[in-house]
Amino acid sequence: MTVFFCWDMIIIVDYSQQSLSVSWMENGEAVYVCLQTVVQAAQREEGLTVTNDPGALAKTNRINLLFDFYEALLTEKQQTFLKYYFHDDFSLGEIAAEFTISRQAVYEHLKRAEQALEGYESKLGLLARHGEAQVLLAELESGLNLLADSEVRKPQLLELLHRLKQTEGISMNKGGDDDGV
């Protein structure tokens, strides 16, 4: 199979010893159909299993974010298994072969590590606070950009916003400054 990408069109040439088919699509549908076709070919030729679960990517992103916040609290083995599975995209079988254990054991290690991360998040809430800070920073930035009457102070305020983004890890209360101003 060969896939050609040309501006906003995709041409798919699927050939085997018995047949040849050529198809093309335009716009967004082209990308979806192209990906489906490539996945089907990979499954057929390589015996691959592909998940079509939209929640799988969200779960992977969440685990990666939790890992970024709480990595130091995990055991070395938990860190290693999570890195292999979520960062390096190793399969359960590949990890099992690397550590000469069963796939089930790898699965159980990963589940316990995920539960530990979720437990840390439920107690400490660093990821939730980070998300809230990101939302507030976005709102602040859009509000600053709407300041039409104070164009003189706008560069100063944008500089403050930039510094705030750099130091986002600092705890700030919603009521304003600690000195009441």
Side-chain angles (χ1 to χ4, degrees):
M1 172 186 302
T2 306
V3 179
F4 299 96
F5 296 91
C6 309
W7 293 93
D8 63 345
M9 181 184 293
I10 296 177
I11 302 169
I12 302 170
V13 179
D14 192 3
Y15 52 90
S16 65
Q17 293 177 345
Q18 291 85 18
S19 66
L20 169 71
S21 75
V22 177
S23 56
W24 64 90
M25 290 139 281
E26 295 181 28
N27 302 327
E29 177 193 6
V31 174
Y32 176 74
V33 172
C34 177
L35 288 174
Q36 267 188 328
T37 306
V38 169
V39 165
Q40 289 169 357
Q43 287 174 324
R44 185 175 58 245
E45 294 171 15
E46 303 293 330
L48 298 176
T49 304
V50 178
T51 181
N52 196 19
D53 180 12
L57 181 59
K59 178 186 174 190
T60 298
N61 286 340
R62 178 171 173 78
I63 295 298
N64 282 328
L65 286 170
L66 289 172
F67 186 78
D68 289 343
F69 282 104
Y70 303 114
E71 175 182 5
L73 300 176
L74 297 172
T75 67
E76 188 176 327
K77 186 178 275 190
Q78 288 173 329
Q79 290 176 20
T80 302
F81 280 37
L82 286 173
K83 282 179 187 174
Y84 275 37
Y85 191 74
F86 288 102
H87 288 202
D88 300 334
D89 205 24
F90 278 41
S91 70
L92 295 177
E94 291 169 325
I95 298 170
E98 180 78 21
F99 291 93
T100 59
I101 59 175
S102 69
R103 291 181 62 210
Q104 182 64 33
V106 173
Y107 176 80
E108 289 171 8
H109 281 296
L110 287 169
K111 283 297 161 201
R112 280 196 293 273
E114 289 174 35
Q115 289 170 349
L117 289 173
E118 291 293 349
Y120 296 139
E121 176 60 16
S122 70
K123 291 176 182 146
L124 300 173
L126 297 177
L127 181 59
R129 282 192 278 178
H130 173 74
E132 290 172 11
Q134 293 300 310
V135 169
L136 293 172
L137 284 170
E139 288 177 21
L140 179 60
E141 186 171 20
S142 67
L144 287 174
N145 287 327
L146 294 175
L147 283 176
D149 60 322
S150 182
E151 286 297 322
V152 174
R153 290 198 29 98
K154 187 174 180 179
Q156 294 170 330
L157 294 173
L158 288 173
E159 173 59 28
L160 287 173
L161 174 66
H162 177 71
R163 289 176 39 207
L164 178 61
K165 283 181 178 180
Q166 288 179 334
T167 60
E168 182 231 318
I170 296 175
S171 176
M172 295 176 287
N173 60 22
K174 292 183 180 181
D177 294 336
D178 289 335
D179 61 2
V181 178

